[in-house]
Amino acid sequence: MKLRNVAIIAHVDHGKTTLVDRLLQQSGAFRENQRVAERAMDSNDLERERGITILAKATSVVWQGIRINIVDTPGHADFGGEVERILNMVDGAIVLVDAAEGPLPQTKFVVSKALKMGLRPIVAINKVDRHDARPVEVVNEVFDLFAALDATDEQLDFPILYGSAKEGWMARSLEGPKQSMAPLFDLVISHVAPPAVEAGPFRMLGTIIEANPYLGRVVTGRIRSGSVKPNQNLKVLDRDGNLIEQDRVTKVLAFRGLERQPIDEGTAGDIVAIAGLPEATVSHTLCDPQVGMPLPAQPIDPPTLAMTFRINDSPLAGTEGDKVQSRVIRERLLREAEGNVALKVGESDEKDSMEVAGRGELQLGILIETMRREGFELSVSRPKVLIRRDERGNLLEPIEEVVVDVDDEHSGIVVQKLSERKAELTEMRPSGGGRTRLVFLAPTRGLIGYQSELLTDTRGTAVMNRLFHAYRAHRGPIAGRTNGVLISTDAGEAVAYALWNLEDRGPMMIEPGWKVYRGMIVGEHTRGNDLEVNVLKGKKLTNIRTTAKDEAVRLTPPIRMTLEKALSYIEDDELVEVTPKSIRLRKRTLDPNDRKKEERQKEAAGV
Ligand SMILES: Nc1nc2c(ncn2[C@@H]2O[C@H](COP(=O)(O)OP(=O)(O)OP(=O)(O)O)[C@@H](O)[C@H]2O)c(=O)[nH]1
Ligand SMILES: [Mg+2]
């Protein structure tokens, strides 16, 4: 059967997965009565809940007798590092661009990779149904982007489609016909070259991995040469040609709609998944035993952010989750690292803890959230940026490109706040409709926790997009949190009256009835220093009780600490306690006397 391999690439939320839905539906990949969820390819729980794609996934449809393998990629920068590798697997790319938002940092990132690889992308201007769509301008912006990225004349001559994935159509012109995805299918067939195959025995580059509960390690890739059958013996080589393992293939799977079907043989050019090789991973070459040279592969991007995952040793440990021992946590993290190349799990200097490094706050946050749902209890440290040194020993830190779209009147505060965080403004221009687009180069360090502040500063109207740019010279200290915290002096259940009495000390993070312990953070102090407070003290009862009325105090609603907020809020001497039921903030050292001692020691050491 004839083949085409194509990837869908775009900035986060520009509609990739929705487009794949329509392609599946309109190619007849679903049975007539099959009930399919929206954004069907986003199949894992967290993807569904957050409405974002986390893992790249392949599927295939048949159009006029030709099988089209389609790879849906994640648009969020934390997961987008894999896009480069995925483009290696395909011969064409569909670049989706939101007709209102235009090209954004991840668009630039994926387009630059596609162009560098010599692909000639198809540009699809999506969401033209939006009332604020400006498709003509956006096409010009895409053209400028291609030109700025040194596209060849051939690449600049990209075919354009306009449409709405949501409404299920794409057309060569803005006027339509607004009927179906047929123009896109036809264009893929005519514009994307059939897969180039090389001569020789079986070779495939591992591109996507997953840990499957039934099949074990499953490696997906595109077959460069030869063919592969179940029960065949394969060799696995790393990028440098070292032998990793030699093992028997248990299953060869092909992608058919939302399912994967075992097949008798995978042939050159096709994208397949192979089970039975427990050590093989991304960037490894799976090949016939007679092959000696690995396929060229890019190195995996190193992580930029790390956190320490420790056992939960608070007084409330083990009361809400059942997976609490350091051995269980360790095993779980190692298993995660096996299925996720962007994560690095290592031993930490501290007792009962592991260092987990990844690409961003969202990626690490999602891991913690997943574990919490599985019944784990943990305490995690503030994320810290991974610093490097260049050859001359100078400190380098990760710098990101940050694009903020904001109502004109709020642009001042955004520039001010980001400058304080050592960001440098590189571009500022009106982006239509009374909004300004601000572009910065900012240290990752300074961006931790900025998202929620940005929303407060702009009354929820700003949109921020970030993308890793490069390791650059360290920009020096950035002021941390300016407020101290309120710390509970005792263990028990918080009392409304006590909380009410403390209101002028600062906003609370807990509610009456919540369990607290000594050293737990219960609120934010309005001043810079930490303050020990008693949240258990009820009103003195007098002999003669008046009415029940004065017992009912009215409290200001507390600050809701979500996991992500908590992680970016805490300082180095604090931890976030995560259990299946609660997110609590605490001091690393719970005992106030020990804390004072440590502070004195630190001062003495001149830190
Ligand atoms: N108005 C409009 N909304 C759309 C269209 N296509 C997608 N959307 C919406 O855009 C949002 C994001 O769509 P997704 O398909 O998840 O986007 P994505 O590019 O896969 O996002 P990531 O995988 O997270 O990068 C959803 O709320 C869709 O309903 C469209 O053509 N018009
Ligand atoms: Mg998606």
Side-chain angles (χ1 to χ4, degrees):
M1 197 170 193
K2 285 189 183 157
L3 262 184
R4 294 291 186 277
N5 295 323
V6 66
I8 305 183
I9 56 178
H11 188 78
V12 63
D13 261 2
H14 282 192
K16 298 172 289 296
T17 309
T18 307
L19 181 78
V20 176
D21 269 2
R22 299 299 171 265
L23 297 179
L24 286 167
Q25 280 158 5
Q26 296 188 21
S27 66
F30 299 147
R31 291 184 310 277
E32 195 117 300
N33 57 354
Q34 190 173 353
R35 290 186 54 182
V36 189
E38 218 168 281
R39 281 181 272 112
M41 294 287 278
D42 287 348
S43 45
N44 79 44
D45 288 353
L46 281 162
E47 287 183 324
R48 299 218 62 80
E49 214 166 274
R50 295 182 184 231
I52 56 168
T53 304
I54 296 171
L55 304 165
K57 288 175 219 76
T59 181
S60 85
V61 300
V62 176
W63 186 254
Q64 292 174 349
I66 300 181
R67 180 165 296 285
I68 308 175
N69 284 318
I70 302 169
V71 191
D72 182 21
T73 61
H76 194 283
D78 280 17
F79 315 108
E82 302 312 306
V83 168
E84 186 167 4
R85 221 181 314 284
I86 282 155
L87 288 172
N88 247 318
M89 196 159 68
V90 295
D91 311 284
I94 302 169
V95 178
L96 275 196
V97 186
D98 183 309
E101 291 185 355
L104 283 170
Q106 188 72 7
T107 320
K108 184 166 148 197
F109 176 75
V110 294
V111 168
S112 76
K113 300 292 179 198
L115 295 178
K116 225 183 271 161
M117 246 160 237
L119 298 178
R120 290 188 303 135
I122 294 170
V123 172
I125 308 296
N126 189 33
K127 305 199 190 183
V128 299
D129 61 290
R130 274 180 70 157
H131 68 91
D132 51 352
R134 42 185 195 96
V136 179
E137 264 170 80
V138 167
V139 168
N140 287 334
E141 289 171 17
V142 174
F143 187 86
D144 292 345
L145 174 66
F146 272 55
L149 293 170
D150 293 327
T152 62
D153 287 348
E154 252 196 332
Q155 287 172 327
L156 272 178
D157 203 16
F158 51 82
I160 305 168
L161 291 171
Y162 301 87
S164 164
K166 199 154 130 193
E167 295 175 354
W169 64 276
M170 283 277 159
R172 283 294 192 132
S173 124
L174 259 175
E175 281 70 51
K178 305 184 176 181
Q179 270 159 8
S180 75
M181 289 290 169
L184 178 59
F185 282 123
D186 292 340
L187 191 57
V188 167
I189 303 238
S190 63
H191 188 76
V192 177
V197 291
E198 293 165 20
F202 175 74
R203 282 178 306 158
M204 172 180 123
L205 189 66
T207 307
I208 307 174
I209 54 165
E210 84 182 68
N212 184 294
Y214 309 106
L215 301 171
R217 172 70 59 93
V218 177
V219 185
T220 298
R222 172 252 195 82
I223 306 176
R224 282 285 149 188
S225 60
S227 66
V228 64
K229 291 180 179 161
N231 291 323
Q232 189 174 333
N233 239 314
L234 288 187
K235 200 160 91 171
V236 177
L237 301 174
D238 71 7
R239 286 177 62 226
D240 304 319
N242 302 312
L243 180 69
I244 301 295
E245 65 171 328
Q246 184 151 347
D247 239 310
R248 198 176 56 85
V249 174
T250 52
K251 274 203 163 71
V252 180
L253 302 154
F255 299 88
R256 300 285 180 260
L258 295 179
E259 274 127 51
R260 275 195 303 213
Q261 277 173 12
I263 50 172
D264 298 333
E265 184 175 28
T267 52
D270 206 355
I271 295 176
V272 297
I274 293 180
L277 303 164
E279 305 293 325
T281 183
V282 169
S283 86
H284 285 169
T285 299
L286 283 57
C287 55
D288 189 277
Q290 71 192 73
V291 174
M293 286 279 284
L295 291 163
Q298 288 113 353
I300 292 160
D301 290 343
T304 52
L305 205 67
M307 282 184 206
T308 314
F309 284 44
R310 317 186 329 152
I311 57 162
N312 182 14
D313 58 1
S314 93
L316 295 175
T319 55
E320 296 174 352
D322 54 0
K323 299 188 178 119
V324 293
Q325 309 91 326
S326 77
R327 180 184 50 84
V328 187
I329 295 172
R330 190 191 141 86
E331 278 166 13
R332 176 66 182 83
L333 288 173
L334 290 174
R335 186 150 48 82
E336 183 70 23
E338 275 195 2
N340 188 341
V341 283
L343 274 185
K344 291 271 169 292
V345 173
E347 304 294 335
S348 147
D349 314 334
E350 292 168 51
K351 187 167 147 275
D352 286 334
S353 59
M354 301 285 280
E355 173 120 331
V356 182
R359 301 264 165 76
E361 293 159 86
L362 181 65
Q363 189 194 27
L364 293 174
I366 281 181
L367 172 61
I368 297 170
E369 189 62 46
T370 311
M371 288 178 68
R372 153 171 206 228
R373 288 183 192 193
E374 293 169 8
F376 279 92
E377 288 196 6
L378 295 167
S379 52
V380 280
S381 69
R382 178 184 166 82
K384 58 174 192 290
V385 162
L386 296 170
I387 305 288
R388 290 193 204 157
R389 282 180 192 279
D390 65 8
E391 317 83 66
R392 269 178 265 124
N394 300 317
L395 279 187
L396 303 179
E397 67 172 327
I399 303 286
E400 296 182 39
E401 181 177 299
V402 183
V403 178
V404 183
D405 283 309
V406 59
D407 289 347
D408 295 342
E409 75 242 46
H410 298 307
S411 58
I413 181 89
V414 176
V415 173
Q416 183 206 325
K417 286 283 180 75
L418 277 171
S419 310
E420 285 165 13
R421 290 163 176 261
K422 298 274 160 78
E424 153 203 353
L425 183 67
T426 56
E427 199 186 325
M428 178 167 183
R429 63 180 163 91
S431 59
R435 282 169 82 82
T436 305
R437 175 162 293 187
L438 303 163
V439 184
F440 301 87
L441 285 178
T444 302
R445 217 162 26 107
L447 293 170
I448 295 175
Y450 178 60
Q451 172 72 29
S452 60
E453 204 172 304
L454 172 72
L455 290 180
T456 317
D457 289 346
T458 62
R459 293 173 204 275
T461 60
V463 181
M464 174 165 74
N465 286 288
R466 311 164 39 173
L467 186 70
F468 175 74
H469 176 66
Y471 266 89
R472 286 287 148 79
H474 195 274
R475 296 193 174 175
I478 295 176
R481 194 175 74 205
T482 46
N483 293 81
V485 288
L486 304 176
I487 305 166
S488 173
T489 48
D490 248 312
E493 277 180 22
V495 173
Y497 181 75
L499 297 181
W500 179 73
N501 256 333
L502 288 167
E503 285 210 323
D504 54 350
R505 299 297 189 171
M508 285 295 157
M509 296 177 192
I510 59 164
E511 288 184 30
W514 284 20
K515 291 204 177 92
V516 299
Y517 50 82
R518 185 162 75 157
M520 177 170 149
I521 297 172
V522 295
E524 182 174 84
H525 194 193
T526 44
R527 307 200 176 179
N529 62 319
D530 291 350
L531 187 70
E532 316 262 340
V533 297
N534 184 336
V535 292
L536 309 174
K537 200 163 55 184
K539 190 176 182 181
K540 279 257 172 56
L541 293 179
T542 48
N543 288 341
I544 317 145
R545 288 184 126 199
T546 47
T547 51
K549 237 192 204 157
D550 48 7
E551 315 262 293
V553 290
R554 197 167 293 163
L555 293 171
T556 317
I559 310 176
R560 288 248 161 263
M561 274 294 170
T562 59
L563 175 62
E564 269 116 22
K565 227 173 166 177
L567 287 173
S568 56
Y569 184 85
I570 55 169
E571 293 285 348
D572 287 336
D573 65 338
E574 295 161 355
L575 293 170
V576 180
E577 176 184 354
V578 184
T579 78
K581 296 206 186 102
S582 324
I583 303 283
R584 300 187 193 96
L585 281 69
R586 56 169 278 196
K587 282 288 171 184
R588 211 176 256 264
T589 308
L590 295 177
D591 185 300
N593 296 323
D594 290 349
R595 263 202 316 275
K596 276 196 198 95
K597 239 181 266 162
E598 279 169 17
E599 261 160 47
R600 246 177 259 131
Q601 277 164 1
K602 253 200 223 160
E603 268 163 35
V607 184

